Amino acid sequence: MSVSVEEFIGELQRKAERGELLYIGQSLRRIDDLEKVLGKPIYTNDLLPRETLYARLVLSKQPHAILKGIGVARAISYPTVKAVLTYQDIPGENISSTIIPDRPLFAFEKVRSTGDIVAAVIAENERRAAEATELVDVQYEPLPAVFDPIEAMKPDAPKVHSEGNVIKHMKVRKGDVEKGFQDSDIIVENTFRTQFQDAVPLEAETALAIPRDNGKLLIIGSMQTPHHVQAAVARVLGRPLEDIEVIQAVTGGAFGPKSDEPPYDVSSIAALGAIKTGRPVLMSMTRKESMIAHTKRHPAIIHHKTGVKSNGRLVASEVQIVLDGGAYASLGVLVIVRATFHANGPYDIPNVKNDGYKVYTNNTYTGSFRGFGAPQAIFAAEAQMDEIARKLNMDPLDLRLMNMLRPGSRTSTGQLMDDSCGLPECVDAVVSASNYREKRREYSQQSGKVRRGIGIAMLHHGNALGPEGNDYAYVHLSVEKNGRVHLGTALTEYGTGAVSGLAQIAASVLGIPLDYFVLDRPDTLAHHETGATVASRVTAIGGNAARDAAMKLKERATAVAARLLGVSPSDVRIVDGLAFVSGNPKRTVSWEEVVRAAYESGVELSVIGYYMAPQCVWDQETGLGSPYNQYTFGAAVAEVEVDVETGQYRVLNYYVAFDVGKAINPKNVIGQLYGGSVQGIGYAMMEELVHVNGKVVNPNLKDYYIPTSMDVPERMVPIIVEKPGSMGVYGAKIIAEPPIVLPAPAIRNAIMNAIGDGVNDLPITAEKVYRKAKELGLG
């Protein structure tokens, strides 16, 4: 359809009125969409030089033992084997840890779990390397072990580390919880348990180390935090940072472990092998190695004691969370912080006492995973709410409506909720979409073999790092002579589309289409250190840095355009790649012309944007204060159908609403709601990495079940709510992590509605539902 000049000019004027919000809120395509559909992304394993060697791991066969000796003679003489690495081959420090230096790269003196790396074999091909690992002779003297975190907290338990088994104790103290219980009409107590969950990224942990002629190293790998990997490798090698360049390759999924210590392991082992052999070395974990040796979601034992008035008003909440940390601290020392802050759920409770413990055991270690402690905490909190409602003979929705956070109420840490609290709107949205009230009434009159139930759950989720560290970001923008804009940052892309969102923000500020943008690979030599790409902080924190960079670049480009148009810079507008005089779009110059003129006049078109979030203020002794600058809010309703004779059930419908502040790209937000919800359904229904006496018995995708298309609800309804926050760019709140949190409690509560009682430990398998139905005399 042809457009007249007048219509075109009118459209430019209307768009100009949007200012820097030009493309904000639009479902633009991701920059890398087409190449991914065409199979063009270059992963680490696609980059192997011809002379590359391959590394395979020797993992401990004992969960706790003294290392009596490591014999490598047979392995080193095996065909094509070039080296066998142990702790004796480390020129620097034998440390591969994030926060607490409790974990060696290669075990020495002791092993503390079956995930400990004892040695690595380097060979000409993967098969020979794997075969040679069986020839490494490791001699153990078994020690007493402990696998239950509650047992590990006892004074006489075997010590995993000499300092004791409690790694971190986190507290929240608000009001007077004992008086609160005295003032309560009823007290409800329950214990909830959650399981080991594996991230199962499509691409396991991988790194390629390439020695350079100048004695330095290039490392290319699958990771979330290139600068942290650089520092870890430099520490192991005893080298300065500038000797190690780390580039994040296209990364096939992450979900948390690739922000923790596993990328340190594969990168350091590849680097050691490259130095020892003088050849490129690939350390790419097998699925089995990955599922044993990388971090998992912490199993949790969570005890709730809640005091309530007879009308449903919550008076007091006491929660104890015990996380099984496995043998090492990892980023789990921060997971327990978030879990403890969120333990009471999104409710205004005057009296709170929370104790969170991360505890060493001789299980394989746990750490960073999508949701970062919230899935465990919110499962227990929301299951407890339904248990309270049952005691009061009250609709669980009405109980929540009476107590939930809203503007003017306070969290369990005493933080005041402002007008950015969109929890009421989220609840209204899912209740309306699911027809919750009518179905609740309908399902109260059931009998027979097959029964249906409907359940609700909600959350608040502290944004970005908050108490977990300084929240800052850098974004680099540079313009080529042809007008192409390169966006570079050490914030990494691993499937979320968030870095493409940074380009959308910059494009919107500059007034040029997203097609002009190119995303550069994160590179430690080219980009400023930005902290970890975790906590869904790319858009909220990195978006502010992208805006800052774009504003600086726009100021320079606008000055050049003003000179070309013969007007003041304040009169220039740039829309869709055309610079024109405000109020007179007939006078235009193209973005390419502006860039060309800038180059000719020596105007620098390379800038760096920076943002540091405000410091969060909270008391480390009591936990009181404002541990997060802003919150994402969400609510979900699940509808299930249960066969009480077999315990088999399916999720029929799932409705989920999230207050995302401002959806920079609604399509990407919806994608996160779908993806996170399906991963959360797996956590709820089937996923469990089983440990028996410290050994993982199902480290493969034959025995570790993840959701398939057959497990997805017949109907999933994602809903976006927008109540702008105070910190994120344009009011944006984080969204990648929270969707995994709500399926488990919503499904659990729906099953409770269907059969009359709930299952309090995850995953909720058909067998557990069958047993519960039998207890109730059903079927």
Side-chain angles (χ1 to χ4, degrees):
M1 183 177 67
S2 61
V3 177
S4 68
V5 173
E6 290 76 16
E7 288 174 324
F8 177 73
I9 290 172
E11 181 66 13
L12 283 181
Q13 287 178 321
R14 283 190 293 274
K15 287 184 174 180
E17 292 172 2
R18 289 181 56 81
E20 61 180 274
L21 298 177
L22 179 62
Y23 304 130
I24 301 303
Q26 295 188 20
S27 291
L28 304 183
R29 69 168 185 84
R30 284 165 46 170
I31 290 176
D32 59 353
D33 273 357
L34 182 59
E35 69 175 30
K36 285 188 174 178
V37 170
L38 296 176
K40 289 185 176 181
I42 306 299
Y43 294 86
T44 305
N45 281 273
D46 298 320
L47 295 168
L48 306 185
R50 188 184 300 273
E51 68 275 18
T52 298
L53 299 173
Y54 299 85
R56 283 272 72 80
L57 300 179
V58 177
L59 299 178
S60 172
K61 288 183 166 57
Q62 294 289 334
H64 199 201
I66 295 171
L67 267 180
K68 302 294 288 184
I70 306 173
V72 302
R74 292 173 61 221
I76 198 70
S77 63
Y78 196 69
T80 82
V81 171
K82 298 300 180 184
V84 178
L85 305 174
T86 69
Y87 70 91
Q88 294 177 321
D89 296 287
I90 294 177
E93 296 181 64
N94 185 19
I95 294 291
S96 191
S97 298
T98 49
I99 297 174
I100 296 175
D102 63 348
R103 182 173 169 272
L105 175 62
F106 288 117
F108 70 104
E109 297 181 349
K110 285 178 68 175
V111 292
R112 295 176 172 86
S113 80
T114 57
D116 285 20
I117 302 170
V118 177
V121 175
I122 313 293
E124 294 278 0
N125 63 67
E126 292 177 280
R127 181 175 64 84
R128 291 293 194 184
E131 290 169 351
T133 62
E134 298 298 321
L135 303 178
V136 177
D137 182 19
V138 185
Q139 314 214 325
Y140 305 95
E141 182 181 310
L143 293 170
V146 60
F147 307 114
D148 184 317
I150 300 297
E151 291 297 315
M153 294 175 72
K154 295 179 179 178
D156 58 348
K159 295 290 184 288
V160 181
H161 294 267
S162 59
E163 298 82 1
N165 289 341
V166 176
I167 315 167
K168 176 84 173 179
H169 177 199
M170 180 67 193
K171 296 183 289 187
V172 175
R173 300 289 188 267
K174 176 187 174 187
D176 184 338
V177 75
E178 292 306 323
K179 185 175 185 305
F181 287 131
Q182 292 171 12
D183 293 342
S184 300
D185 294 322
I186 66 164
I187 293 175
V188 179
E189 290 194 64
N190 287 288
T191 299
F192 306 91
R193 294 175 180 265
T194 68
Q195 76 280 34
F196 283 99
Q197 184 187 21
D198 197 274
V200 200
L202 191 60
E203 177 194 33
E205 290 75 11
T206 298
L208 171 67
I210 302 173
R212 288 176 161 166
D213 293 338
N214 59 6
K216 297 184 178 183
L217 274 177
L218 169 64
I219 294 174
I220 302 169
S222 178
M223 64 190 72
Q224 293 176 239
T225 56
H227 283 89
H228 292 186
V229 170
Q230 179 193 37
V233 174
R235 185 178 190 177
V236 168
L237 298 182
R239 297 276 196 93
L241 287 176
E242 55 266 25
D243 281 5
I244 316 296
E245 179 181 6
V246 177
I247 298 174
Q248 183 223 16
V250 176
T251 294
F255 307 115
K258 291 181 185 177
S259 70
D260 215 311
E261 294 164 8
Y264 299 5
D265 298 343
V266 293
S267 299
S268 296
I269 290 170
L272 287 167
I275 288 173
K276 187 157 188 173
T277 64
R279 290 170 60 176
V281 172
L282 176 73
M283 175 65 250
S284 183
M285 287 190 184
T286 64
R287 180 62 61 191
K288 181 178 180 179
E289 288 172 338
S290 177
M291 294 180 80
I292 294 173
H294 76 179
T295 53
K296 299 92 179 162
R297 188 179 306 287
H298 297 74
I301 302 167
I302 305 176
H303 184 77
H304 272 260
K305 179 181 178 182
T306 311
V308 193
K309 289 290 189 183
S310 58
N311 66 354
R313 180 67 65 186
L314 301 179
V315 180
S317 174
E318 182 175 349
V319 182
Q320 182 190 76
I321 302 177
V322 179
L323 297 185
D324 183 346
Y328 301 102
S330 73
L331 289 177
V333 292
L334 303 179
V335 173
I336 190 59
V337 173
R338 182 175 286 271
T340 307
F341 278 139
H342 292 78
N344 314 94
Y347 302 104
D348 190 339
I349 308 172
N351 304 291
V352 171
K353 179 184 178 184
N354 294 347
D355 287 281
Y357 301 91
K358 179 176 165 83
V359 181
Y360 286 128
T361 69
N362 293 114
N363 292 316
T364 63
Y365 79 134
T366 49
S368 178
F369 194 155
R370 187 180 198 172
F372 216 72
Q376 301 96 312
I378 296 299
F379 169 72
E382 288 300 277
Q384 177 75 348
M385 288 296 285
D386 269 44
E387 293 295 333
I388 294 167
R390 178 169 62 167
K391 282 273 189 180
L392 294 170
N393 194 27
M394 188 176 186
D395 189 309
L397 172 59
D398 292 329
L399 178 67
R400 288 171 168 84
L401 291 174
M402 179 180 293
N403 293 284
M404 72 182 184
L405 296 175
R406 58 183 75 241
S409 59
R410 292 186 180 271
T411 67
S412 60
T413 69
Q415 185 169 354
L416 181 67
M417 292 289 96
D418 59 20
D419 289 340
S420 70
C421 176
L423 184 57
E425 289 83 352
C426 291
V427 174
D428 288 347
V430 294
V431 167
S432 175
S434 65
N435 204 8
Y436 173 92
R437 296 282 191 189
E438 183 175 319
K439 287 181 178 177
R440 191 89 187 180
R441 286 192 294 270
E442 176 186 345
Y443 297 155
S444 66
Q445 308 295 324
Q446 294 183 94
S447 61
K449 174 186 174 183
V450 178
R451 304 185 184 188
R452 290 189 174 187
I454 192 165
I456 189 167
M458 57 184 68
L459 61 71
H460 68 315
H461 192 94
N463 277 201
L465 296 180
E468 298 150 26
N470 291 328
D471 233 341
Y472 62 94
Y474 290 90
V475 170
H476 301 240
L477 294 177
S478 60
V479 187
E480 295 182 46
K481 284 185 179 180
N482 63 4
R484 300 286 283 178
V485 181
H486 286 258
L487 186 147
T489 178
L491 293 167
T492 54
E493 170 62 50
Y494 39 85
T496 66
V499 177
S500 188
L502 301 185
Q504 184 168 342
I505 291 163
S508 193
V509 171
L510 290 170
I512 62 175
L514 193 60
D515 290 342
Y516 280 92
F517 280 77
V518 176
L519 299 180
D520 293 337
R521 299 306 317 162
D523 185 335
T524 56
L525 293 190
H527 303 129
H528 280 68
E529 202 274 327
T530 60
T533 308
V534 295
S536 309
R537 58 191 289 271
V538 174
T539 300
I541 304 300
N544 278 310
R547 178 180 180 272
D548 181 57
M551 294 294 283
K552 293 173 181 176
L553 187 57
K554 183 178 183 179
E555 183 179 4
R556 299 178 190 181
T558 300
V560 174
R563 191 169 69 248
L564 294 176
L565 292 167
V567 296
S568 167
S570 62
D571 292 327
V572 174
R573 304 290 182 268
I574 304 177
V575 172
D576 293 345
L578 290 176
F580 58 89
V581 180
S582 179
N584 184 18
K586 291 182 179 180
R587 296 178 60 196
T588 65
V589 291
S590 69
W591 173 252
E592 290 84 352
E593 291 174 294
V594 172
V595 170
R596 191 160 51 246
Y599 268 89
E600 290 170 354
S601 58
V603 176
E604 176 67 39
L605 294 182
S606 179
V607 298
I608 298 174
Y610 172 74
Y611 176 75
M612 170 71 86
Q615 194 71 34
C616 296
V617 180
W618 59 285
D619 186 288
Q620 296 199 30
E621 286 299 313
T622 65
L624 297 182
S626 300
Y628 301 96
N629 284 304
Q630 64 180 30
Y631 291 84
T632 297
F633 300 92
V637 168
E639 191 176 355
V640 300
E641 185 176 81
V642 183
D643 185 327
V644 297
E645 292 185 356
T646 65
Q648 293 287 340
Y649 70 95
R650 59 193 180 113
V651 182
L652 300 175
N653 302 304
Y654 186 72
Y655 309 84
V656 62
F658 273 97
D659 165 24
V660 301
K662 177 64 180 177
I664 303 299
N665 186 312
K667 182 173 69 173
N668 279 359
V669 171
I670 293 296
Q672 291 302 313
L673 298 188
Y674 276 123
S677 295
V678 171
Q679 196 171 27
I681 287 169
Y683 183 54
M685 297 179 66
M686 65 193 72
E687 293 190 40
E688 182 173 15
L689 199 67
V690 179
H691 287 63
V692 176
N693 295 327
K695 297 182 180 181
V696 180
V697 299
N698 60 333
N700 57 71
L701 295 180
K702 176 172 70 73
D703 300 313
Y704 182 90
Y705 306 130
I706 59 174
T708 70
S709 59
M710 299 298 291
D711 302 299
V712 175
E714 294 175 6
R715 187 173 185 223
M716 293 184 70
V717 180
I719 303 166
I720 293 174
V721 172
E722 295 182 308
K723 295 289 291 290
S726 60
M727 177 183 66
V729 64
Y730 306 123
K733 301 174 181 178
I734 70 148
I735 191 53
E737 294 204 69
I740 197 174
V741 177
L742 290 176
I747 290 168
R748 182 262 180 206
N749 292 340
I751 291 171
M752 181 176 176
N753 178 232
I755 67 173
D757 201 357
V759 175
N760 289 348
D761 58 305
L762 295 178
I764 303 173
T765 61
E767 182 180 4
K768 292 176 185 176
V769 175
Y770 169 79
R771 288 177 178 173
K772 182 63 68 174
K774 284 297 182 185
E775 286 176 19
L776 298 168
L778 304 175

